[in-house]
Amino acid sequence: MTRRTRRNFTPAFKAPVALAALKSDKTPAELAQQYDIHPNQITDWKRPLTARAVQVFGDTGSPASSDPDLTK
């Protein structure tokens, strides 16, 4: 039996896979087959994406009007 070498995935690859998992139009098993990865990897990549989603929208305790274009 041939062993597959350890693969390192870039954030550019992980992001669309995790977003596809969040859409929930396919099961993790179907996505894993589509992207040729293990279903547990999809779950592992989806977890930090959902946990840090609040930070994406700027809820870090800083004022929301820090952008000068928004104060006009």
Side-chain angles (χ1 to χ4, degrees):
M1 180 166 70
T2 306
R3 280 190 85 155
R4 179 182 274 184
T5 60
R6 182 182 174 105
R7 297 184 292 172
N8 294 319
F9 298 103
T10 64
F13 178 79
K14 293 178 184 181
V17 174
L19 288 173
L22 286 176
K23 287 182 186 178
S24 300
D25 54 344
K26 292 184 179 179
T27 65
E30 291 171 335
L31 289 172
Q33 187 175 22
Q34 177 182 345
Y35 290 104
D36 190 32
I37 57 176
H38 196 276
N40 289 348
Q41 285 182 312
I42 294 174
T43 304
D44 290 344
W45 296 343
K46 188 171 77 169
R47 190 174 299 121
L49 181 64
T50 56
R52 294 183 186 137
V54 175
Q55 293 173 353
V56 171
F57 293 104
D59 190 18
T60 59
S62 63
S65 63
S66 63
D67 189 4
D69 292 336
L70 296 177
T71 58
K72 292 181 183 177

